Amino acid sequence: MLRFTALEKSSNRAPVPVNSPSSKVSDYYGVNVFDKEKMHKHLSKEVYKQVIEATNTGQRIDRKFAELVAAAMKSWAISMGATHYTHWFQPLTGTTAEKHDAFFDLSDDGRAIETFSSSALVQQEPDASSFPNGGIRNTFEARGYTAWDPSSPAFIMEGVSGKTLCIPTIFVSYTGETLDYKAPLLKALHALNQAAVPVCQYFDKNVSTVYSTLGIEQEYFLVDIDLFNARPDLEMTGRTLFGATAAKGQQLEDHYFGSIPSRVQSFMVELEIESLKLGIPLKTRHNEVAPSQFECAPIYEDINLAVDHNSLLMDLMEKISRKHHFKVLLHEKPYAGINGSGKHNNWSLSTSTGKNLLSPGNSPKSNLQFLTFFVNTIKAVHEHADLMRASIASASNDHRLGANEAPPAIMSIFLGGQLSAVLDEIEKAVKDKKMTPEEKTALKLNIGKIPEILLDNTDRNRTSPFAFTGNKFEFRAVGSSANCGHAMTVLNTIVADQLKKFHSEVEGLIKKGMKSDEAILKVLRKYIVESKNIRFEGNGYGDEWKKEAKKRGLNNITTTPVSLDAFVSKKTMQVFGENNIFNHRELEARHEIMLETYIKKIQIESRVMTNVATNHIIPAAIKYQHLLVKNVEGLMGIKMPKETYAAQVELIKEISSHLAIIKKNCDDMVLARKKANAIVDLRARAIAYCDKVKSYFDIIRYNVDKLELIVDDESWPLPKYREMVTIR
Ligand code: ADP
Ligand code: MG
């Protein structure tokens, strides 16, 4: 049986040895990247300056310079052994897309030549209609194009046979609608820079740009490839739809930070080497809470790069895991009953002068600057909590949120006791009337103390979806398989919008004759009061919080189809529209795509569930039941007393009862699916899939898992949880 062959193979594996290019990372870090150093070497001074400027400002590169960059890129790539090039982009499928072209062409007289023109660098035309595009396909021209993003350096991907030059690009329709994750993120960063610089100028006139930084902690599971291949549910849906909980799961908590199995370590080493060669600054690796769950994290980078790097990392994990006879599981909940995986987004703001705006400084003035960005972020998240929730919504993340292992679906912010006290202090101290000089001094003193306060601020709250961790916010609710560009577009847009409003309110007060510091404090105080409801320091996993949140008027939207409403609300349309991120049609298109993706995911799960139950589980149970029947018949044949086969009869009955329930519910689920499919309105169909189709999953699974516990181990067709989560 497949299960036993797979088990045998998986338990006899030796770690795959990995050769490191050098024991010093500095010897090979970024060798596969056309980075500043290589550009400097391959480009004239003038062209180099242009490219760097474009990188920093997001401006377009002049065509004639692009020609020179293309030539330099080509000669570098060919010298590295690359034969092909591709525009590398992040369509709304959730994976990355590539279409390779050879550097090769034919000259007029038929000779083979190596070419790569600026037009091939700057723009390509993949068929937009083959990628998710929502209504855009019908309303607009079907064609789309990819356009070079000079702010993310080109890199070389090493395949098993051959190397390819990859050029990070955005993906847009011919009429200009964005069709990917990168283009909106770049727009949001532009808006953020424009909004944040004037605010920084209150504190430091030297600041000319503000950018976001992001450090992404990536959680994942590894499972032996043969065991994976023996589980059709895992293969088709990324998660196990069945599986009785192993007697020993994560209750002893002996996996977290434990020693890393050597097969896994080999995988990690190779992943790190390949990542570092691509300029992904991976730094941390460790075991996670659940058995066979791990985490890796890079050093934070400029957000556009960090998001590209995370996409690239997920791709590398997939390829490298196979080499080590593993399959990496990036799904948010591959196994029921043990923790799922997330992707903590550590986010902050940084200035051209090298200051982290969410890190308090050593003067009252820089602390006021810190407070300004801190409070504005809180206010933005409070204002757009539903949109933040929607930004992490997916069929797979629904399993995590609120499941007592990940933050709940309620958006709240954790500040830590000390900073909460500082905000409370400001709320009390800043008066509506003019403050006395003594009051001002007292307040300044308090603000001046923030860095000391933070130094011994050790409180950590793992249950908050959005937590302040000393010098950055950590958006913890993002799913492990997500493209972070999505949630980060939302966060950066709402913060940009908020900073614009803040600036205009402060300007208003200054015009009325108020000093800037006092005006800033006054507006901050107003925001502190207005956004108080979203601050929560307690246990986010408890039921108490659900009750308390309800009282506070905070939403707890537990399912994706409904939470996605926030993407097309009036408020969202306005904030995205006014900041030039998405127009109405783009938002509606995205909303449509997300609903469609949700429906398809549940539909596939539902089909796989029926297939596996019908073709794998039921036959196995019947075979075992038949064995029992034969046994009972035999015992009766030799006239044994009833007690000798009473247990067998009991088991026969139990099996029949589970089989009946499974069969009935699978049949009913098919009918429910048919009904749902007939619903024309996409949102209503998604809700039907959530409430009327998915609702069968639990009962079918419950009965299958019961059978797993009854049926002879020898005839159970699927690898069991215990077998999958144990890495030998
Ligand atoms: P943990 O949350 O597990 O304690 P760390 O504090 O080491 O982990 O940081 C997690 C991630 O946060 C890392 O990727 C780190 O580089 C990143 N990080 C640290 N400072 C910043 C910052 N200013 N902006 C964005 N990310 C940051
Ligand atoms: Mg963290």
Side-chain angles (χ1 to χ4, degrees), residues 181 307 390-393 483-491 567 590 594:
Y181 290 113
V307 171
S391 79
I392 49 155
N483 183 308
C484 300
H486 189 50
M488 288 300 108
T489 297
V490 168
L491 179 60
F567 260 103
R590 256 164 221 251
M594 290 187 278

Side-chain angles (χ1 to χ4, degrees), residues 539-553:
N539 176 15
Y541 293 176
D543 279 334
E544 283 305 302
W545 171 227
K546 285 187 194 138
K547 279 187 226 148
E548 163 74 15
K550 200 167 175 189
K551 260 196 243 153
R552 294 190 190 185

Side-chain angles (χ1 to χ4, degrees), residues 6-302:
L7 275 172
E8 197 180 320
K9 279 196 196 163
S10 76
S11 47
N12 286 323
R13 292 208 205 277
V16 177
V18 178
N19 292 323
S20 175
S22 161
S23 59
K24 282 197 341 241
V25 171
S26 55
D27 286 345
Y28 61 93
Y29 182 69
V31 285
N32 285 344
V33 186
F34 193 60
D35 54 16
K36 282 187 185 160
E37 198 186 311
K38 278 155 217 132
M39 276 194 263
H40 196 80
K41 205 172 126 194
H42 286 85
L43 293 170
S44 72
K45 252 195 188 138
E46 192 193 4
V47 183
Y48 176 75
K49 227 181 97 197
Q50 272 272 328
V51 178
I52 298 299
E53 218 160 276
T55 312
N56 295 339
T57 58
Q59 271 168 5
R60 273 179 184 268
I61 290 180
D62 195 283
R63 200 78 184 199
K64 78 171 189 281
F65 288 124
E67 194 64 56
L68 299 167
V69 178
M73 243 186 222
K74 182 188 79 180
S75 66
W76 170 73
I78 290 174
S79 77
M80 292 288 292
T83 54
H84 287 67
Y85 63 89
T86 178
H87 276 196
W88 180 84
F89 57 104
Q90 299 163 50
L92 301 171
T93 49
T95 50
T96 54
E98 307 161 13
K99 173 181 157 257
H100 297 196
D101 282 304
F103 285 122
F104 151 80
D105 208 345
L106 289 177
S107 67
D108 290 343
D109 55 358
R111 283 176 303 117
I113 47 170
E114 265 71 45
T115 60
F116 181 56
S117 66
S118 69
S119 55
L121 166 66
V122 173
Q123 194 165 312
Q124 286 192 353
E125 294 182 25
D127 179 15
S129 59
S130 323
F131 290 100
N133 52 20
I136 287 173
R137 176 177 39 214
N138 307 325
T139 19
F140 303 91
E141 233 190 307
R143 281 187 304 162
Y145 65 91
T146 51
W148 181 29
D149 166 21
S151 62
S152 183
F155 55 89
I156 289 174
M157 267 293 227
E158 296 182 32
V160 179
S161 15
K163 297 180 182 182
T164 305
L165 171 70
C166 299
I167 298 142
T169 55
I170 57 167
F171 182 37
V172 283
S173 78
Y174 247 91
T175 33
E177 286 78 18
T178 58
L179 297 171
D180 69 346
Y181 290 113
K182 186 193 260 286
L185 178 65
L186 291 175
K187 289 181 176 184
L189 298 175
H190 180 69
L192 179 81
N193 178 42
Q194 292 213 311
V197 170
V199 175
C200 280
Q201 301 254 328
Y202 287 134
F203 310 98
D204 181 358
K205 293 274 180 238
N206 295 320
V207 172
S208 59
T209 17
V210 171
Y211 60 95
S212 297
T213 52
L214 185 65
I216 303 169
E217 298 166 60
Q218 174 76 53
E219 291 179 337
Y220 61 96
F221 281 86
L222 286 174
V223 61
D224 187 89
I225 189 73
D226 283 303
L227 295 172
F228 171 82
N229 288 338
R231 293 280 316 210
D233 50 353
L234 205 47
E235 200 170 15
M236 306 293 285
T237 72
R239 74 178 180 108
T240 53
L241 299 171
F242 304 115
T245 319
K248 175 177 178 288
Q250 63 187 49
Q251 60 274 66
L252 297 178
E253 302 194 328
D254 49 358
H255 186 66
Y256 192 51
F257 281 16
S259 72
I260 298 170
S262 47
R263 266 186 78 192
V264 176
Q265 204 206 330
S266 272
F267 158 76
M268 287 174 165
V269 168
E270 183 157 1
L271 177 65
E272 282 164 4
I273 292 171
E274 291 310 314
S275 297
L276 292 164
K277 278 159 73 180
L278 283 164
I280 305 171
L282 272 196
K283 185 174 167 69
T284 311
R285 56 162 115 127
H286 60 78
N287 286 359
E288 258 304 322
V289 175
S292 74
Q293 191 189 26
F294 308 92
E295 178 185 297
C296 61
I299 299 168
Y300 72 92
E301 299 177 276
D302 167 81

